[in-house]
Amino acid sequence: MKFPLLTTLAVLAIRPTHIAAFAPHSRAVSNGDNVGIITINNDPQRAQRAIRRRSTSSSSSSSSSSSSSALRISALETLADMTTLSIDSGDIDTVSRYAKTGLITDATTNPLFVSQAGSNGDSRYEAMVDEAVSYAKRKTCEEDGCSIPTETLNVAMDRLAVNLGRELANLVPGRVSTEVDVRLSYDTEASVARARSIIDMYRECGVPRERILIKLAGTWEGIRAARILEAEGINCNITLVFSFLQAAAAAQANAYLISPFPGRILDWHRNRGGSSTPTGYYVPDADPGVLAVRRMYAYFRKYGYSTICMPASWRPSRGPHVPGSDVDEILALAGIDEMTIPPNLLDSLSKLESGVVVRRCEASTDASTCNDPDFKLTEESYASYWETDVCGREKLKEGIDAFTAETEKLLKILIEKF
């Protein structure tokens, strides 16, 4: 019999159970099926934005149209009032620029960003690389020289990621996600060991673990690693999530956060024929990636899981030929717990009027419409269901392979530095 978790599709929108602006995030609480809403009252950044909105409203009734235009509220500001925003970038200047707006709370990094830092040429990034190499030599090399063993390179790579993360943590008020070596995605014990080492490096740099999320790929082994780390008080971000099965397993493992990729889910469906429309694209509410993320979120809220849903990796639902479609998926998920958004799409949102943002994610509503059972997964049942999840399997492999390639590039850069 088919697993009902994989065949039921929750379509309606969802509202978040928390709208936190500072780290650590609040997490949902539940009594049975009744989702508790945690209210944040001491958020000066949101208060300032609310004051600006009231000021704008007042100005519109007493000032000229040009004065009112000068005080217009952007779609980005409106979105930030209903969804916690993370910036998906490792560029220090870009993160700093957006952090100063008060609209961005967190920052996420990945092997691509760390690899770019290693080859950037900017003196600030060069200093990070040099320090990482020196640190690795001190920790692993013999006094009479260093043969650049694998352990030394791994330490240097993790230290570089920490150096970049430390700089980002100095810019954003919330959390920074740092990824465990993606080559360990199918090795639970090795992933746990590297995660602990990364947290220790952050501690040495004066960054407490409460400011860091450890990113692990959404394999069964990565999710098992998250269960172990969460029990130790190390919060985790399960990334490369393309499947409801992955999301359910992560929530059951008490993962702090998941990063589903609606854009890549859309890619998969379009590559297999897309929608029945002449263009092969979708209206945002029918976008397979949007629907997949809404389903995950509804499941979390119905059963009281505290796991945060933070979609990443976006595509134009209606196709790149349609003006404004680059933020289709973002707007279709407005109100979800959190989003991580790259700078170019933050720029797009900042140029749009606030009226385009309408809350589409409503926790209490969609928790009540979720039809998925809370079936407890085991390694055996997960493996069985995973075999039928073609999109999840193909996109997860593709994502791991791409990040592995970036990791190999970074290792070559580090070897040259030795």
Side-chain angles (χ1 to χ4, degrees):
M1 183 176 68
K2 292 291 185 180
F3 182 35
L5 281 175
L6 299 178
T7 57
T8 305
L9 186 62
V11 175
L12 297 178
I14 309 147
R15 175 177 179 165
T17 56
H18 68 284
I19 310 176
F22 295 116
H25 289 280
S26 301
R27 302 178 84 174
V29 295
S30 174
N31 296 312
D33 287 342
N34 297 319
V35 179
I37 306 300
I38 301 175
T39 303
I40 306 299
N41 296 315
N42 58 343
D43 182 349
Q45 292 179 352
R46 290 186 189 279
Q48 289 174 1
R49 292 199 292 274
I51 290 171
R52 184 181 175 190
R53 280 200 306 278
R54 288 195 295 272
S55 175
T56 303
S57 176
S58 175
S59 297
S60 66
S61 62
S62 60
S63 302
S64 67
S65 59
S66 60
S67 175
S68 180
S69 296
L71 292 172
R72 78 172 184 91
I73 303 300
S74 71
L76 180 61
E77 291 171 283
T78 303
L79 181 64
D81 280 339
M82 62 180 71
T83 290
T84 299
L85 299 183
S86 173
I87 185 167
D88 198 12
S89 174
D91 184 278
I92 295 172
D93 293 331
T94 300
V95 174
S96 176
R97 176 167 64 91
Y98 269 103
K100 289 175 182 176
T101 68
L103 304 176
I104 300 301
T105 300
D106 296 348
T108 54
T109 65
N110 60 44
L112 172 60
F113 297 157
V114 178
S115 176
Q116 289 172 340
S119 59
N120 185 282
D122 184 307
S123 61
R124 295 169 298 175
Y125 297 100
E126 287 292 328
M128 292 182 198
V129 175
D130 291 343
E131 195 282 336
V133 170
S134 297
Y135 178 89
K137 287 180 177 179
R138 292 198 309 272
K139 291 291 184 179
T140 65
C141 292
E142 300 294 335
E143 292 184 1
D144 59 351
C146 185
S147 60
I148 324 182
T150 299
E151 180 188 3
T152 303
L153 282 174
N154 289 339
V155 171
M157 180 170 63
D158 289 349
R159 183 67 175 193
L160 176 57
V162 168
N163 286 345
L164 177 60
R166 177 188 59 195
E167 292 299 317
L168 299 179
N170 288 333
L171 299 174
V172 298
R175 294 176 180 260
V176 173
S177 291
T178 297
E179 191 152 352
V180 166
D181 188 342
V182 73
R183 298 172 300 168
L184 304 177
S185 295
Y186 296 96
D187 189 331
T188 296
E189 291 184 4
S191 293
V192 169
R194 291 285 284 276
R196 290 169 178 158
S197 175
I198 288 170
I199 290 296
D200 286 343
M201 289 184 194
Y202 270 115
R203 178 181 50 77
E204 293 171 358
C205 295
V207 181
R209 66 174 58 187
E210 292 79 15
R211 297 287 314 281
I212 302 303
L213 291 179
I214 292 294
K215 287 180 74 175
L216 297 158
T219 59
W220 176 257
E221 293 79 7
I223 293 169
R224 284 181 58 204
R227 182 186 293 276
I228 295 168
L229 293 166
E230 291 285 355
E232 298 175 2
I234 298 174
N235 293 146
C236 298
N237 171 353
I238 300 297
T239 189
L240 295 174
V241 173
F242 307 99
S243 160
F244 177 75
L245 180 62
Q246 291 172 285
Q252 292 177 21
N254 197 37
Y256 183 86
L257 181 150
I258 67 164
S259 294
F261 287 17
R264 298 193 194 183
I265 296 172
L266 172 62
D267 289 344
W268 188 87
H269 284 273
R270 287 206 69 250
N271 289 337
R272 280 151 186 79
S275 74
S276 58
T277 64
T279 63
Y281 287 97
Y282 298 81
V283 296
D285 280 336
D287 181 321
V290 169
L291 295 177
V293 174
R294 288 179 178 175
R295 182 184 178 192
M296 297 171 196
Y297 188 72
Y299 172 80
F300 291 174
R301 299 292 78 88
K302 178 172 183 176
Y303 296 108
Y305 288 111
S306 58
T307 300
I308 293 166
C309 191
M310 184 184 75
S313 185
W314 311 95
R315 300 289 188 273
S317 301
R318 295 170 293 162
H321 59 286
V322 179
S325 64
D326 56 341
V327 294
D328 278 350
E329 292 182 328
I330 293 173
L331 296 179
L333 291 169
I336 205 163
D337 289 330
E338 183 164 357
M339 299 177 179
T340 185
I341 304 175
N344 65 307
L345 297 185
L346 292 173
D347 289 343
S348 293
L349 289 165
S350 69
K351 296 172 184 175
L352 295 175
E353 297 290 339
S354 63
V356 302
V357 182
V358 178
R359 184 182 293 277
R360 307 308 306 276
C361 295
E362 177 69 40
S364 58
T365 298
D366 283 272
S368 66
T369 61
C370 172
N371 293 317
D372 289 301
D374 192 23
F375 186 92
K376 300 305 179 184
L377 294 161
T378 65
E379 183 172 3
E380 293 74 19
S381 63
Y382 185 93
S384 176
Y385 304 135
W386 187 241
E387 283 302 308
T388 69
D389 195 335
V390 182
C391 175
R393 285 190 291 108
E394 290 185 359
K395 297 307 289 186
L396 178 60
K397 181 182 184 304
E398 178 184 295
I400 290 174
D401 288 348
F403 282 155
T404 296
E406 292 300 330
T407 299
E408 297 295 341
K409 290 180 185 177
L410 176 59
L411 291 175
K412 291 179 181 179
I413 294 170
L414 292 174
I415 289 173
E416 293 176 0
K417 292 293 182 179
F418 278 88

